[in-house]
Amino acid sequence: MTSKELKALGIEAENLGTSTGTKWFAKGELLESYSPTNGKLIAKVKCTTRKEYEKVIQEAEKAKLIWRDIPAPKRGEIVRQLGEKLRELKPVLGKLVSYEMGKSYQEGLGEVQEMIDICDFAVGLSRQLYGNTIHSERPGHRMYDQYHPLGTVGIITAFNFPVAVWSWNAALALVCGDVVVWKPSEKTPLCAVACQHIISEILKSNKLPEGISSIVTGDAEVGKWISEDERIPLVSATGSTRMGKEVATVVAKRLGKSLLELGGNNAIIVSPSADLKMTIIGAVFGAVGTAGQRCTSTRRLIIHESIYDKVKKSLVDAYKQIKIGDPLDSQNHMGPLIDNQAVKMYLDALEKIKAEGGNILTKGEVLTGKGFESGCYVRPVIAEVENHYAIVQHETFAPILYLIKYKGEVNDAIALQNGVKQGLSSAIMTNSLREAELFLSQNGSDCGIANVNIGTSGAEIGGAFGGEKDTGGGRESGSDAWKVYMRRQTNTINYTSSLPLAQGIKFDL
Ligand code: NAD
């Protein structure tokens, strides 16, 4: 990533790769952003102080009065401009995502494409924020419901989708008439700074206050200020289940709303009739893509005993082909983990698998030598386990794929798939209509996402995204997910000269 490329995103970094930091933030407590690709310091980003946070929220409070009075289709026009700018900057922003987070350049570009897609979706939505017209039980009355902006939406995001998750929330919230305050992950602050430059330029050129969309930077402490803040009616939080439980408790205490997008423990059921070529590609991409650091990463393969050995062999062979290295080099399939802490979690998980009796089929290790100086590159692992192991029940954010054998019918596989606390993404590979429909029925997968003949990883923006149980129950992105960003109001209008009461209650004076 060159200084020129960073400059295109509004980031004036000096002395890249040294510890002297950036020009644009010189003092105060600094977040250091290192690239997991090469271990180099990209830049330092100043943390928001409590005093600055107050100022940001006050600006948001002022901006919300202006923004909510702008008609929704006109708000959509601002989001359209955001989508246009993202189209222009896609190569360079995709590169920054790849460089700061460590996912492949292709996936970095894909993440920016998701931003563009949600902007397009939101532009259309800005003319479709429909309520219902309802028939009143009283003569001469009209009843309908309508949706109003909520006010300020707090957005707390995880490191693994450093730009897309903000846009899923922001694009919808903005057309809904809300203003947004974003607390990005402390592990990927530069991606957030780049997005902030993009949106603030658009707001400025339209003579709108920057308070319509702002960022606050820092660690969990800054996230807590948002959770506690009564001026923020909705907190959308994406991250670990541990974080979600803390946020939900604090927000609920003040009777705020929270939209939670938390951890997954996603499985693919491989039935006897599965197309094995599709299964292997779907499973390998799902397990090693983004180095196993997607909330929808494939963590478990639940394979019928009749094809177990065949699938196992094909997977082990496929893993031998995986090229690990700089994610900006398109030859490589898998880049690094985000940081040394993630590497430690990966190594700890391998020990736990062995301690519980699991059988590791492809050796896990941290790679060293030329190109691996950051210490964040690891080998992806396949392990034979049982579903009830504590480590299998836990979401390890690393490229570890568990193989679990099932006997009997598809219902037995579904019971294993549902037998974890998380409920985000699930899939079945089958050519049996009966099995596919059972999997999708009310007695089937208990996840927010259930796919047939597609892996667990990734999703299109047109559907509502999210999951059940420990995944938090929130829905973002497409379908009618927009409704959570608005407050619903039921209106009844009496155009007669009498006052009949509902339920026929008599009250005469
Ligand atoms: P994390 O929970 O460590 O941090 C996420 C964000 O929450 C960060 O910005 C962090 O500063 C903030 N935070 C942490 N504790 C907080 C608290 N008590 N109050 C307020 N804010 C707090 O998660 P991570 O390691 O960045 O991301 C990985 C996790 O995110 C995985 O569990 C993954 O499955 C999940 N994730 C879920 C989805 C989804 O849509 N379901 C999407 C992406 C990531």
Side-chain angles (χ1 to χ4, degrees):
M1 196 89 204
T2 62
S3 313
K4 201 169 155 218
E5 286 166 329
L6 285 174
K7 206 166 173 185
L9 296 167
I11 299 168
E12 295 261 354
E14 278 184 343
N15 303 318
L16 289 183
T18 73
S19 59
T20 49
T22 66
K23 194 154 83 184
W24 56 280
F25 276 135
K27 298 195 280 292
E29 210 179 317
L30 295 171
L31 270 179
E32 294 182 333
S33 180
Y34 292 91
S35 170
T37 70
N38 56 16
K40 287 189 178 163
L41 183 71
I42 317 174
K44 296 182 185 182
V45 175
K46 188 176 170 297
C47 292
T48 304
T49 62
R50 181 76 216 201
K51 212 165 144 195
E52 287 161 345
Y53 172 83
E54 272 309 311
K55 176 101 180 91
V56 167
I57 299 296
Q58 277 163 21
E59 291 302 316
E61 287 289 292
K62 278 191 253 165
K64 85 178 181 196
L65 304 179
I66 297 166
W67 187 240
R68 72 183 183 198
D69 272 353
I70 296 173
K74 295 258 170 1
R75 300 193 295 250
E77 164 56 19
I78 302 301
V79 175
R80 190 194 65 76
Q81 291 177 29
L82 174 61
E84 285 301 297
K85 196 73 195 163
L86 288 168
R87 279 181 171 87
E88 192 187 304
L89 294 172
K90 182 176 167 182
V92 66
L93 185 58
K95 195 166 178 185
L96 178 62
V97 168
S98 175
Y99 192 54
E100 192 179 36
M101 187 275 154
K103 62 176 68 177
S104 74
Y105 182 47
Q106 275 307 309
E107 290 179 278
L109 291 175
E111 197 173 332
V112 182
Q113 186 58 47
E114 242 180 275
M115 303 175 82
I116 296 166
D117 293 344
I118 196 70
C119 286
D120 287 353
F121 179 91
V123 175
L125 179 68
S126 70
R127 292 183 184 268
Q128 299 174 73
L129 301 169
Y130 303 138
N132 293 311
T133 300
I134 302 141
H135 284 269
S136 170
E137 65 189 40
R138 287 169 280 185
H141 283 58
R142 188 163 74 81
M143 208 159 102
Y144 64 97
D145 58 22
Q146 59 174 338
Y147 290 84
H148 292 308
L150 273 178
T152 304
V153 175
I155 305 170
I156 299 172
T157 59
F159 77 84
N160 64 333
F161 277 89
V163 294
V165 173
W166 167 70
S167 70
W168 292 358
N169 284 281
L172 293 200
L174 289 175
V175 297
C176 288
D178 300 319
V179 300
V180 298
V181 176
W182 178 21
K183 206 300 276 175
S185 167
E186 54 274 41
K187 297 181 183 182
T188 49
L190 267 193
C191 284
V193 169
C195 291
Q196 183 60 25
H197 277 293
I198 296 168
I199 185 78
S200 63
E201 277 302 311
I202 291 167
L203 293 171
K204 208 154 76 185
S205 65
N206 286 277
K207 301 192 171 35
L208 288 165
E210 195 179 351
I212 290 170
S213 183
S214 22
I215 55 168
V216 287
T217 47
D219 59 11
E221 188 59 28
V222 181
K224 283 180 196 158
W225 298 340
I226 290 181
S227 304
E228 287 161 0
D229 199 326
E230 290 189 351
R231 294 165 292 185
I232 301 182
L234 172 67
V235 179
S236 171
T238 301
S240 59
T241 297
R242 175 205 58 76
M243 175 281 290
K245 285 183 176 169
E246 287 172 19
V247 169
T249 309
V250 176
V251 175
K253 215 166 169 183
R254 59 175 176 85
L255 298 182
K257 289 207 278 184
S258 39
L259 190 176
L260 302 173
E261 297 284 353
L262 313 175
N265 193 347
N266 318 296
I268 302 179
I269 295 173
V270 188
S271 100
S273 69
D275 178 318
L276 289 191
K277 192 162 174 243
M278 277 164 62
T279 301
I280 300 303
I281 296 172
V284 176
F285 175 72
V288 311
T290 325
Q293 299 169 109
R294 282 187 178 214
C295 49
T296 54
S297 288
T298 308
R299 312 231 172 262
R300 298 175 296 143
L301 276 192
I302 300 170
I303 311 163
H304 193 265
E305 59 176 350
S306 62
I307 48 164
Y308 183 86
D309 288 338
K310 203 167 165 191
V311 173
K312 177 168 114 177
K313 182 173 177 325
S314 305
L315 279 170
V316 172
D317 287 347
Y319 267 48
K320 287 182 191 144
Q321 317 294 319
I322 292 169
K323 292 200 189 76
I324 306 163
D326 183 354
L328 286 163
D329 178 346
S330 63
Q331 302 290 310
N332 294 322
H333 300 106
M334 199 182 106
L337 290 174
I338 183 72
D339 57 16
N340 296 339
Q341 205 188 332
V343 172
K344 188 179 175 306
M345 284 194 309
Y346 157 88
L347 292 172
D348 286 351
L350 298 186
E351 287 310 312
K352 286 180 184 153
I353 294 167
K354 284 187 245 166
E356 288 194 80
N359 177 27
I360 293 183
L361 298 171
T362 61
K363 191 173 161 242
E365 61 179 341
V366 181
L367 300 176
T368 53
K370 194 163 162 21
F372 301 127
E373 290 83 357
S374 70
C376 296
Y377 291 87
V378 300
R379 234 176 248 296
V381 169
I382 306 175
E384 292 181 291
V385 297
E386 292 195 29
N387 201 50
H388 62 80
Y389 289 1
I391 189 64
V392 178
Q393 293 282 316
H394 174 81
E395 179 199 41
T396 302
F397 226 48
I400 302 175
L401 179 64
Y402 297 122
L403 305 191
I404 297 158
K405 199 183 280 182
Y406 82 92
K407 298 180 179 142
E409 293 295 310
V410 72
N411 284 334
D412 300 300
I414 292 171
L416 287 168
Q417 123 77 39
N418 291 346
V420 290
K421 284 192 159 180
Q422 307 83 350
L424 181 53
S425 186
S426 60
I428 187 167
M429 304 301 280
T430 181
N431 278 319
S432 154
L433 178 68
R434 198 190 123 256
E435 286 183 337
E437 289 291 342
L438 265 172
F439 177 73
L440 299 176
S441 75
Q442 69 279 10
N443 301 318
S445 165
D446 63 3
C447 293
I449 296 166
N451 298 331
V452 176
N453 291 333
I454 299 176
T456 61
S457 181
E460 296 179 26
I461 60 97
F465 181 86
E468 303 300 328
K469 305 193 294 187
D470 269 8
T471 305
R475 291 297 185 279
E476 275 174 3
S477 198
S479 187
D480 65 353
W482 61 271
K483 288 184 176 166
V484 75
Y485 300 91
M486 303 198 83
R487 66 183 169 86
R488 181 194 296 237
Q489 189 176 63
T490 304
N491 308 113
T492 311
I493 301 162
N494 174 3
Y495 56 92
T496 70
S497 50
S498 61
L499 193 65
L501 300 176
Q503 292 85 44
I505 293 169
K506 295 271 174 263
F507 186 80
D508 291 327
L509 289 177

